[in-house]
């Protein structure tokens, strides 16, 4: 296909104009729930403030979110941003160049959803007292609190997992940790509108038996191909393009820790978001925050035993030392918070593109990163992952892997017949969008 643009994707882009689609459901049902919850949190914060000016501005921001909801419901055209942030001019160029005159329902779902979070950000950017406020902070913290059992279980298990072991045993541990890291992506707060907390706890469970059962739900599984890569990797650089904070970030650290301890990696880079994003995504500030929470014996709802607390503190102190020593670096880039597919990375963020080219392996976590990698369009489901990410990424990056629980229709890489087999027992919506199925897709 010639002339691929963010609005002219290789196959038809998902758009909310298609009634009954997941994109449409997100726009008419899920976004309002997310925004209502955020407004409720804002109201609580406003009420706690002692300053009248802060309160007045906070109340105006809440009104701004309500107005944004009304604008979406009325399917208004996407307007230019009015703030003056580092990324404002770029965002406005994208709107003018690709989506001029298009509306919340007629522009691509990918662009609109990113634009939604950027518009929420605009309300804070334009304020005097709320500039740095993370409207989703409360939600991030509360969900992490609910991950107590798996957090302590991992903290207890980690010492045995990083002992020097023969390569066959290492492989078994790799399989387990990779899948823990994969299913950690089920903890996405913007999907809580579909899933119960019980569902999420079940998906987070990390016992070997449970993981084996879950394996049946991995519809594209390149775990072995990735192991071939890692088994031969010595002192490399591994990048994580992070997704969610809380438990998912915790298990990203677990996998990074294992890579550093087994000398697969000499350096790990965590790529985070620059603004509050899709409710739960990691910003750099969330990293010291998660360390502090883990080290606080009163953070989790049930008081941990002294042994458990000690195991967790030891683990987190090791992670902190990686950061201090520069073996683990946390960086953020505006590109991750644009509304464009990643095939436009070289064009839009050449510095980032060149930097990631130096990495031996780039791990893209989660659903949104997957949608952006494959341009969030309706590919034939058996399209190879390598083809869907586009030649530029496939040919220039050493290796890319996507660890994603499926939370949107977008899918590629299925073997022939898998879709038909799946759909004998589960609905397309269930395996594509519920977050209970997953993919591990690798391109070398
Ligand atoms: O709303 C769109 C979406 O991609 C969902 O499908 C998913 O719930 C959410 O955004 C983000 O998921 P993740 O945190 O895994 O990127
Ligand atoms: Mg996310």
């Amino acid at each position: 296909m010639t002339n691929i643009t963010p609005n002219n994707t290789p196959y038809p882009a998902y758009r909310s104009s298609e009634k009954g689609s997941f994109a449409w459901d997100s726009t008419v049902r899920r976004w309002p729930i997310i925004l209502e919850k955020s407004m409720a949190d804002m109201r609580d914060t406003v009420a706690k403030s002692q300053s009248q000016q802060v309160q007045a501005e906070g109340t105006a921001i809440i009104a701004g979110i309500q107005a944004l909801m009304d604008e979406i419901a009325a399917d208004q055209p996407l307007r230019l941003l009015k703030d003056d942030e580092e990324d404002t001019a770029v965002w406005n160029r994208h709107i003018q160049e690709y989506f001029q005159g298009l509306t919340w329902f007629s522009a691509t779902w990918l662009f609109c959803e990113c634009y939604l979070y950027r518009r929420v950000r605009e309300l804070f950017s334009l304020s005097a007292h709320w500039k740095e406020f993370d409207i989703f902070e409360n939600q991030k913290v509360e969900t992490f609190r609910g991950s107590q059992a798996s957090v302590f279980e991992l903290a207890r298990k980690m010492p045995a997992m990083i002992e020097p072991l023969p390569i066959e045993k290492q492989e078994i541990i790799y399989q387990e940790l990779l899948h823990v890291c994969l299913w950690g992506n089920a903890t996405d707060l913007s999907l809580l509108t579909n899933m119960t907390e019980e569902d999420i706890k079940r998906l987070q469970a990390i016992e070997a038996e449970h993981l084996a059962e879950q394996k049946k739900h991995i519809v594209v599984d390149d775990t072995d191909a990735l192991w071939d890569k890692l088994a031969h990797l010595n002192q490399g650089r591994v990048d994580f393009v992070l997704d969610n904070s809380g438990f998912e970030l915790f298990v990203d650290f677990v996998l990074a820790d294992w890579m550093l301890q087994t000398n697969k990696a000499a350096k790990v880079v965590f790529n985070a978001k620059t603004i509050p994003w899709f409710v739960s995504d990691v910003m750099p500030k969330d990293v010291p925050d998660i360390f502090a929470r883990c080290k606080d014996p009163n953070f989790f709802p049930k008081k941990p035993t002294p042994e458990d607390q000690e195991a967790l503190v030891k683990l987190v102190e090791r992670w902190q030392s990686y950061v201090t020593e520069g073996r683990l670096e946390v960086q953020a880039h505006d590109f991750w918070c644009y509304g464009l597919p990643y095939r436009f990375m070289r064009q839009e963020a050449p510095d980032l593109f060149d930097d990631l080219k130096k990495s031996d392996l780039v791990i893209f976590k989660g659903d949104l990163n997957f949608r952006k990698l494959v341009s969030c369009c309706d590919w034939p489901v058996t399209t190879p992952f390598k083809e869907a990410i586009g030649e530029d990424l496939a040919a220039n990056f050493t290796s890319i892997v996507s660890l994603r629980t499926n939370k949107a229709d977008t899918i590629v890489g299925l073997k022939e017949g898998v879709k038909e087999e799946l759909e004998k027992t589960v609905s397309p919506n269930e395996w594509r969008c519920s977050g209970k199925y997953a993919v591990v897709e690798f391109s070398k």
Side-chain angles (χ1 to χ4, degrees):
M1 185 184 186
T2 53
N3 197 24
I4 293 175
T5 72
N7 191 40
N8 186 37
T9 45
Y11 279 84
Y14 293 106
R15 294 177 201 263
S16 308
S17 48
E18 199 178 318
K19 222 171 165 189
S21 67
F22 189 72
W24 172 83
D25 178 67
S26 286
T27 308
V28 303
R29 190 184 64 80
R30 291 171 62 231
W31 296 353
I33 298 176
I34 289 167
L35 294 175
E36 290 283 2
K37 172 87 186 80
S38 312
M39 287 197 286
D41 280 354
M42 265 301 276
R43 272 186 217 108
D44 285 350
T45 315
V46 168
K48 282 182 203 140
S49 166
Q50 304 295 328
S51 149
Q52 271 191 359
Q53 279 171 322
V54 175
Q55 285 197 343
E57 243 191 357
T59 307
I61 292 174
I62 296 170
I65 299 177
Q66 184 57 57
L68 180 58
M69 285 172 68
D70 297 343
E71 181 187 316
I72 298 170
D75 195 17
Q76 296 286 312
L78 307 183
R79 68 145 168 86
L80 299 183
L81 296 175
K82 296 177 181 165
D83 58 13
D84 189 20
E85 295 294 325
E86 270 177 29
D87 64 346
T88 307
V90 176
W91 261 100
N92 286 344
R93 176 168 53 77
H94 294 163
I95 297 170
Q96 284 172 314
E97 211 166 306
Y98 308 118
F99 298 99
Q100 185 75 44
L102 297 186
T103 64
W104 285 95
F105 282 71
S106 62
T108 65
W109 175 46
L110 175 67
F111 190 80
C112 290
E113 200 166 32
C114 296
Y115 176 70
L116 168 69
Y117 288 92
R118 185 58 183 81
R119 282 287 302 276
V120 171
R121 184 65 203 149
E122 183 193 66
L123 292 164
F124 292 90
S125 301
L126 289 173
S127 76
H129 303 284
W130 295 82
K131 278 198 192 306
E132 298 308 317
F133 187 71
D134 177 358
I135 187 172
F136 305 123
E137 170 99 11
N138 269 350
Q139 298 188 59
K140 291 183 193 176
V141 176
E142 281 319 308
T143 323
F144 187 47
R145 231 186 267 282
S147 311
Q148 174 162 13
S150 301
V151 164
F152 282 102
E153 191 169 344
L154 278 166
R156 283 190 301 266
K157 278 177 128 180
M158 257 330 250
M161 290 188 159
I162 55 174
E163 270 174 14
L165 291 170
I167 193 84
E168 318 76 61
K169 292 229 167 94
Q170 264 189 29
E171 183 179 355
I172 296 171
I173 289 171
Y174 151 80
Q175 296 251 354
E176 189 166 337
L177 291 185
L178 189 82
H179 290 176
V180 164
C181 191
L182 166 68
W183 292 108
N185 177 242
T187 322
D188 154 39
L189 303 178
S190 66
L191 203 80
L192 272 179
T193 63
N194 287 6
M195 248 193 230
T196 65
E197 289 202 33
E198 268 321 299
D199 280 337
I200 287 186
K201 283 220 175 81
R202 207 161 21 78
L203 289 171
Q204 277 183 355
I206 58 165
E207 306 85 49
E209 235 172 64
H210 176 83
L211 286 174
E213 187 57 32
Q214 286 288 106
K215 207 167 156 58
K216 296 180 197 148
H217 286 194
I218 303 179
V219 296
V220 182
D221 191 356
D222 291 336
T223 305
D224 291 342
L226 178 60
W227 172 248
D228 281 347
K229 160 91 199 178
L230 282 173
H232 298 107
L233 188 64
N234 186 25
Q235 302 279 2
R237 164 173 163 181
V238 176
D239 277 70
F240 285 67
V241 180
L242 297 174
D243 187 2
N244 302 312
S245 194
F247 185 69
E248 182 166 5
L249 176 60
F250 185 87
V251 291
D252 292 339
F253 264 109
V254 166
L255 186 62
D257 191 6
W258 175 82
M259 286 183 178
L260 289 166
Q261 288 293 323
T262 53
N263 289 322
K264 310 274 174 238
K267 175 154 189 159
V268 172
V269 182
F270 276 2
N271 294 273
K273 306 297 189 306
T274 43
I275 63 173
W277 192 245
F278 283 69
V279 187
S280 30
D281 281 31
V282 180
M283 296 167 68
K285 60 143 179 101
D286 295 321
V287 172
D289 281 4
I290 200 173
F291 291 161
R293 281 179 190 122
C294 289
K295 288 169 91 174
D296 173 0
N298 299 316
F299 173 71
F300 289 103
K302 257 176 61 194
K303 185 122 185 100
T305 63
E307 297 74 34
D308 274 3
Q309 185 61 23
E310 198 188 322
L312 184 58
V313 169
K314 205 167 160 204
L315 184 69
V316 167
E317 281 179 349
R318 187 164 68 239
W319 297 351
Q320 280 179 308
S321 74
Y322 295 149
V323 177
T324 324
E325 292 158 12
R327 295 176 73 194
L328 193 149
E329 214 175 281
V330 183
Q331 61 182 27
H333 196 291
D334 283 342
F335 177 76
W336 305 121
C337 300
Y338 296 161
L340 304 193
Y342 292 158
R343 62 171 60 231
F344 299 102
M345 188 188 297
R346 184 206 289 269
Q347 172 191 315
E348 296 290 335
D351 56 331
L352 180 65
F353 186 83
D354 286 343
D355 184 39
L356 290 180
K357 261 169 43 180
K358 294 184 215 138
S359 186
D360 294 289
L361 172 67
V362 186
I363 303 175
F364 287 87
K365 292 296 313 286
D367 191 72
L368 179 65
N369 278 325
F370 180 84
R371 285 169 60 202
K372 285 186 161 187
L373 270 173
V374 304
S375 299
C376 199
C377 62
D378 193 8
W379 295 96
V381 297
T382 52
T383 309
F385 180 60
K386 206 173 187 138
E387 184 184 325
I389 62 180
E391 216 189 308
D392 211 20
L393 294 187
N396 285 291
F397 285 17
T398 311
S399 306
I400 289 180
V401 67
S402 167
L403 304 181
R404 170 238 188 180
T405 61
N406 305 353
K407 304 172 192 162
D409 315 80
T410 326
I411 187 84
V412 297
L414 291 189
K415 293 209 175 98
E416 285 298 338
V418 168
K419 173 180 181 294
E420 293 68 20
E421 198 50 42
L422 269 167
E423 291 180 2
K424 283 183 186 161
T425 50
V426 289
S427 69
N429 194 52
E430 175 75 0
W431 73 266
R432 285 179 176 234
C433 305
S434 71
K436 296 172 191 166
Y437 289 75
V439 298
V440 177
E441 305 216 30
F442 180 60
S443 157
K444 193 163 117 175

